[in-house]
Amino acid sequence: MYKLVTKEVLSDVSKKFEVEAPLVAKKAQPGQFIILRVDEQGERVPLTIADSDPERGTITIIFQEVGLTTKCLGQKEAGDYIADFVGPLGKPMEFPEEPGRVIAVGGGVGIAPVYPKVKGFHKAGMDVTSIIGARCKDLLILEDEMRAVSKELHVCTDDGSYGHHGFVSDILQKYLDDGEPIAEIIAVGPLPMMRAIVNQTRPYGVKTVVSLNPVMVDGTGMCGACRVTVGEETKFTCVDGPVFDGHQVDFDELVARSRMYLDQEKKALENCRCGGAK
Amino acid sequence: MAHDIKKKHPMEEQNPQERVKNFDEVPFGYDIDTAVAEAERCLDCKKAPCRQGCPVEVNIPAFIMSIKDRKFEESIAAMKADNSLPAICGRVCPQESQCESFCVRAKKGEPVGIGRLERFIADWQLKEGVEDPKLPEPTGKKVAVVGAGPAGLTCAGDLAKLGHDVTMYEAFHTPGGVLVYGIPEFRLPKEIVAKEVDYIQRLGVKLETNMVIGKTITVDELFEEHGFDAVFIGTGAGLPTFLGIPGENLLGVYSANEFLTRTNLMKAYRFPEFDTPIHVGKNVAVVGAGNVAMDSARTALRLGAENVYIVYRRSDKEMPARLEEIHHAEEEGVQFRLLTNPIGINGDDKGWVKGMECMQMRLCEPDESGRCRPEPIEDSNFVLDVDTVVVAVGQTPNPLVPQTTTGLKTGRKGTIDADEFGKTSREGVWAGGDIVTGAATVINAMGAGKMAAKNIDEYLKSK
Ligand SMILES: Cc1cc2nc3c(=O)[nH]c(=O)nc-3n(C[C@H](O)[C@H](O)[C@H](O)COP(=O)(O)OP(=O)(O)OC[C@H]3O[C@@H](n4cnc5c(N)ncnc54)[C@H](O)[C@@H]3O)c2cc1C
Ligand SMILES: Cc1cc2nc3c(=O)[nH]c(=O)nc-3n(C[C@H](O)[C@H](O)[C@H](O)COP(=O)(O)OP(=O)(O)OC[C@H]3O[C@@H](n4cnc5c(N)ncnc54)[C@H](O)[C@@H]3O)c2cc1C
Ligand code: SF4
Ligand code: FES
């Protein structure tokens, strides 16, 4: 059993927990993730390691309540326990090969997985420009944390309730146009956002990496559920990723595969034991 | 009614029409009188040829004679001297190609039902309640066992019996390996696996689940930071092989590993009581014809599919599955499309499988290996009307541990190189089971675990 040490409600739909998992905390690198199971009947779901504290032996997770498991998890309080917590899984992030400006784009709860990477760049002494966005001000997460590790930070909201009124891609466009060389763009967010960004940067030939979130089961390369087509090859996100060259990813396939259990997920939520659906 | 001495006593089973609707175990096992009567068929051969066929050389006549004399305690003791997981082996070992194929009785009629008797005596003991084991004097030596499948469980149990301090690390949240995530409930009830694991824990073995060795802790760190004196690696052959044909990432295409893991380990057959979903359409093609394919096909029927096909490119003679499993699948209505090779999977506009394109095959003359190579028959293409495809064409070894352990030699196919005692190229590290041999059998994995335990013990004593 794994203890949830602290809880913070970041917005209506996203929550943050620190989980006691000393061995995972000792090993965690930016870019990696964990798989958890809330209880005995639970599903195994992957979440990015948003932060880790080896001294205190804790891992920070930030998640959006989208379905049964994340809703059940959101109902837990500090001091409660969850059944399983395994990691760190996946490959740690790599640093850009070329020197130069790095731009990090985070959308919605995708800011959570972008944050440890920017923090990693920051630690390595690199200057990162970050662009984060959410549907509205209340849904924006990690603004202060991101600001602390970015050289520049831009905030966008779809409804204009805060920061730039519009999409993260609007701000990104300015950087693409101003001609200063960009070593790498890193984009994490909902699939449609990541797809839009890679389509936007493709004509400029700027390397754009994305962190993918397909459905997973084991997270160790055993089941093949997380397969995605990158280039012409089938890759397993859990062991070959989760970070890939966005220009090579077959997003159509990924979008289709992530909707595979839509009907069942709805049913699961209706029957939800934790009352999270209410 | 007198029984024909030439034949095995039949074992009662759930009838096929009923059992395809549930996940309960198919055969019921022998009752005491039938077991004794079957034991009476054994000739107690001096040379006991049956033992040659058993990878762990169970003293077969001894355990059978004790059943005949109704001395069940003695029987189980004779069994457990060589095999610590009899309730599992009695259910899943390919007896017809092992012990039973050497049985003298097989020359005229059917062999003694060794597997059924094994299952009987193991179940008898589980029902009676297993005595608490007598724990030996601790030796003060620490051994880590990586992977809690049959190889790891056997090795851990044997080392604990020798007084070593054993910790078993398992990546999943539940121990058992393929026994819990692969082989379905209707063939091997999970309660039985749990009881066997429980016994090994009562021997003093510590179990740490949710530990991916190579990620959470590396083998190097097990030695350097956690103070282990030896490590056994039994991580199995858990990586799925796909066919490499177009359409394999369509929705509704599963690896057998995923299909079976969702169903068995995550209990998708009890969705939505359990949270993990699974998708099974009306018409399911399972590609391959080993045990994994039979398990997938029979699982698909139980999950509600109307038509389930085994699609296999060779003929029935080459099918690698256990005979019993093929019979069970046939009885349950699985349809066999032999000499049929899939060449592509077609999808609809939403990305779901809507058919599998196949070619008819013929077998030509056997090649040097003695195997008939299947070759396609020209213009024999046809589309099999299916909406779900399960690919069950084999597994390769899990690379996580070899990739992250220094000084560990591996073979061409990613297996760990180990000698007949399980010793690897790295001092203090042993390996056994599917990670060494590639996908094999439960009993072979157990044999390897046992051999390694013996060798590790000698090593620790000499240190
Ligand atoms: C490497 C990785 C890192 C991730 N990091 C984060 C994170 O930091 N914060 C966060 O909020 N979300 C993250 N996700 C997504 C998160 O795993 C899903 O939101 C979660 O599994 C949904 O589960 P649910 O039961 O609440 O919803 P469900 O009702 O089961 O599903 C809702 C949607 O979530 C996705 N999903 C469902 N099951 C899985 C699964 N087993 N694996 C992956 N996706 C699934 C599907 O697109 C589905 O349509 C990550 C996913 C991956 C693969
Ligand atoms: C569906 C199916 C049906 C089968 N039917 C039969 C049958 O009827 N009869 C028969 O004899 N054989 C059968 N087999 C084959 C048999 O199950 C295997 O040969 C046997 O389980 C191998 O044992 P093992 O201990 O080597 O590996 P496994 O059983 O694969 O166990 C390996 C364990 O190691 C864990 N692990 C992997 N990597 C790590 C890591 N990095 N860190 C920690 N833990 C890790 C895994 O989670 C797993 O629990 C079947 C196999 C399958 C898949
Ligand atoms: S060979 Fe057959 S008859 Fe002879 S001892 Fe073995 S099981 Fe009994
Ligand atoms: S989640 Fe099973 S292979 Fe990646």
Side-chain angles (χ1 to χ4, degrees):
Chain A
M1 298 291 275
Y2 294 80
K3 190 173 177 181
L4 306 174
V5 194
T6 64
K7 175 182 184 175
E8 208 181 307
V9 177
L10 300 180
S11 78
D12 278 358
V13 295
S14 45
K15 289 184 177 143
K16 172 168 145 183
F17 274 115
E18 277 180 301
V19 186
E20 198 170 78
L23 289 170
V24 187
K26 217 168 125 189
K27 273 287 159 59
Q29 301 279 328
Q32 293 187 296
F33 63 96
I34 54 92
I35 284 189
L36 60 77
R37 207 169 59 124
V38 171
D39 56 28
E40 282 307 310
Q41 283 112 292
E43 189 175 7
R44 294 170 66 94
V45 306
L47 293 173
T48 304
I49 295 173
D51 214 340
S52 60
D53 186 337
E55 261 89 70
R56 292 173 59 227
T58 56
I59 293 285
T60 304
I61 50 171
I62 295 173
F63 58 95
Q64 188 162 16
E65 297 185 1
V66 292
L68 176 58
T69 307
T70 46
K71 287 208 159 94
C72 286
L73 186 61
Q75 306 267 302
K76 299 270 174 196
E77 298 300 336
D80 289 349
Y81 288 83
I82 55 171
D84 302 293
F85 193 85
V86 53
L89 302 169
K91 282 194 184 157
M93 150 194 101
E94 290 169 10
F95 289 94
E97 286 153 25
E98 316 258 316
R101 173 190 277 162
V102 175
I103 300 180
V105 186
V109 78
I111 302 170
V114 142
Y115 168 65
K117 300 185 184 77
V118 175
K119 199 175 154 194
F121 288 137
H122 181 73
K123 251 196 187 155
M126 299 161 66
D127 286 331
V128 189
T129 300
S130 300
I131 309 168
I132 58 175
R135 264 182 287 142
C136 61
K137 181 170 189 251
D138 289 344
L139 296 180
L140 189 73
I141 59 170
L142 296 179
E143 185 189 349
D144 296 339
E145 286 86 344
M146 284 295 286
R147 195 179 304 282
V149 294
S150 308
K151 185 181 171 201
E152 279 176 55
L153 179 80
H154 301 270
V155 180
C156 321
T157 49
D158 296 4
D159 67 352
S161 49
Y162 186 57
H164 166 78
H165 184 172
F167 296 131
V168 284
S169 47
D170 307 343
I171 309 273
L172 179 62
Q173 190 59 42
K174 293 188 186 132
Y175 286 95
L176 290 169
D177 290 337
D178 85 359
E180 206 181 303
I182 301 171
E184 186 171 300
I185 294 170
I186 166 176
V188 192
L191 284 173
M193 178 210 114
M194 289 195 280
R195 173 156 50 186
I197 301 278
V198 300
N199 287 339
Q200 182 187 8
T201 64
R202 188 176 283 113
Y204 296 86
V206 180
K207 182 165 180 202
T208 305
V209 300
V210 292
S211 187
L212 302 183
N213 54 353
V215 173
M216 293 190 174
V217 183
D218 61 306
T220 64
M222 194 275 278
C223 73
C226 64
R227 59 196 193 276
V228 285
T229 304
V230 181
E232 302 286 280
E233 276 177 83
T234 295
K235 296 276 186 192
F236 290 3
T237 306
C238 67
V239 286
D240 301 319
V243 175
F244 292 104
D245 177 350
H247 292 151
Q248 307 279 324
V249 172
D250 182 340
F251 275 97
D252 292 342
E253 182 185 278
L254 190 58
V255 169
R257 285 184 67 84
S258 76
R259 301 170 65 87
M260 178 150 166
Y261 296 104
L262 230 48
D263 292 347
Q264 281 115 315
E265 281 154 6
K266 246 193 249 145
K267 194 166 151 202
L269 202 52
E270 282 161 17
N271 287 279
C272 179
R273 7 174 232 298
C274 67
K278 278 149 221 154
Chain B
M1 200 177 70
H3 179 74
D4 178 357
I5 187 81
K6 287 195 181 127
K7 290 203 165 142
K8 285 183 197 175
H9 286 77
M11 181 160 53
E12 298 281 327
E13 299 182 339
Q14 277 198 70
N15 95 43
Q17 284 79 37
E18 271 311 306
R19 73 189 192 224
V20 291
K21 293 184 219 137
N22 65 55
F23 274 81
D24 300 340
E25 191 170 16
V26 169
F28 297 132
Y30 282 160
D31 58 26
I32 293 188
D33 291 333
T34 314
V36 170
E38 181 64 20
E40 281 168 354
R41 291 185 65 231
C42 174
L43 305 169
D44 194 14
C45 311
K46 272 228 167 53
K47 277 200 181 144
C50 48
R51 289 186 75 174
Q52 299 165 28
C54 174
V56 300
E57 290 182 48
V58 166
N59 191 340
I60 293 168
F63 101 80
I64 295 183
M65 284 303 116
S66 301
I67 295 179
K68 191 181 102 182
D69 299 338
R70 295 181 185 254
K71 292 182 178 152
F72 302 132
E73 297 275 356
E74 282 172 28
S75 174
I76 194 73
M79 168 65 70
K80 285 230 166 149
D82 297 297
N83 182 345
S84 42
L85 309 173
I88 293 165
C89 289
R91 288 173 164 83
V92 303
C93 269
Q95 290 101 5
E96 76 267 9
S97 58
Q98 297 182 358
C99 53
E100 292 183 12
S101 73
F102 290 89
C103 175
V104 174
R105 280 256 178 232
K107 291 192 181 127
K108 286 193 204 129
E110 289 183 359
V112 174
I114 302 173
R116 293 175 184 182
L117 290 171
E118 179 178 19
R119 169 181 164 155
F120 163 77
I121 198 63
D123 287 359
W124 175 85
Q125 192 194 28
L126 290 177
K127 223 181 292 152
E128 292 293 299
V130 187
E131 254 180 71
D132 268 328
K134 285 185 213 66
L135 299 183
E137 279 297 301
T139 61
K141 302 280 190 205
K142 278 177 72 180
V143 188
V145 169
V146 182
L153 288 168
T154 308
C155 187
D158 281 17
L159 286 166
K161 282 187 208 153
L162 294 163
H164 302 302
D165 177 2
V166 186
T167 307
M168 201 158 47
Y169 292 99
E170 167 55 44
F172 268 129
H173 50 263
T174 309
V178 170
L179 307 177
V180 292
Y181 76 69
I183 301 179
E185 181 79 16
F186 56 80
R187 202 145 77 74
L188 179 62
K190 300 310 151 220
E191 197 194 332
I192 287 185
V193 182
K195 280 185 178 158
E196 301 280 23
V197 173
D198 178 59
Y199 182 78
I200 286 171
Q201 284 181 275
R202 280 193 286 138
L203 285 168
V205 172
K206 285 165 259 174
L207 172 68
E208 300 260 3
T209 50
N210 295 318
M211 288 285 178
V212 184
I213 301 304
K215 286 283 181 190
T216 318
I217 310 177
T218 63
V219 171
D220 294 1
E221 289 164 345
L222 287 175
F223 285 109
E224 289 153 20
E225 290 174 29
H226 297 258
F228 285 101
D229 300 296
V231 173
F232 174 79
I233 301 169
T235 47
L239 297 200
T241 308
F242 285 93
L243 295 158
I245 59 176
E248 234 169 350
N249 294 343
L250 287 166
L251 281 72
V253 184
Y254 284 100
S255 76
N257 278 358
E258 184 187 354
F259 190 73
L260 291 170
T261 301
R262 280 182 180 271
T263 316
N264 300 323
L265 181 73
M266 305 310 297
K267 307 256 178 286
Y269 68 92
R270 286 162 69 181
F271 180 87
E273 181 198 345
F274 283 74
D275 300 345
T276 304
I278 192 157
H279 166 85
V280 182
K282 271 198 183 135
N283 304 305
V284 180
V286 177
V287 184
N291 287 326
V292 184
M294 298 306 146
D295 284 346
S296 303
R298 297 172 67 197
T299 296
L301 281 174
R302 283 163 174 77
L303 290 170
E306 286 167 17
N307 292 293
V308 177
Y309 308 98
I310 286 280
V311 177
Y312 182 53
R313 63 190 181 128
R314 300 174 194 268
S315 77
D316 57 353
K317 285 183 210 68
E318 287 83 20
M319 290 202 284
R322 294 177 63 204
L323 271 183
E324 186 181 327
E325 305 316 326
I326 296 170
H327 288 320
H328 279 150
E330 272 169 347
E331 280 175 358
E332 289 167 10
V334 172
Q335 301 164 53
F336 288 75
R337 295 295 168 95
L338 304 175
L339 291 166
T340 304
N341 196 29
I343 54 172
I345 303 166
N346 309 328
D348 66 15
D349 53 1
K350 294 220 171 77
W352 283 92
V353 172
K354 68 162 196 216
M356 185 164 80
E357 186 155 351
C358 301
M359 273 190 103
Q360 225 55 77
M361 309 292 280
R362 75 164 89 79
L363 288 181
C364 52
E365 295 296 299
D367 60 14
E368 293 113 67
S369 73
R371 287 241 282 182
C372 305
R373 288 205 153 276
E375 57 181 41
I377 299 171
E378 255 178 72
D379 297 328
S380 64
N381 296 30
F382 70 100
V383 174
L384 193 62
D385 173 25
V386 292
D387 48 21
T388 306
V389 175
V390 180
V391 182
V393 294
Q395 292 104 249
T396 58
N398 192 312
L400 267 181
V401 170
Q403 271 171 9
T404 54
T405 308
T406 48
L408 202 59
K409 272 209 192 109
T410 52
R412 203 166 43 90
K413 291 193 170 150
T415 48
I416 295 179
D417 284 345
D419 69 10
E420 78 247 54
F421 307 111
K423 233 163 107 173
T424 69
S425 57
R426 163 131 186 215
E427 164 150 11
V429 178
W430 279 256
D434 285 3
I435 184 74
V436 170
T437 54
T441 60
V442 172
I443 192 75
N444 278 315
M446 288 177 54
K450 214 176 151 72
M451 184 58 94
K454 225 160 102 190
N455 208 243
I456 292 171
D457 180 54
E458 284 163 21
Y459 168 82
L460 293 174
K461 279 189 184 134
S462 73
K463 243 179 76 161

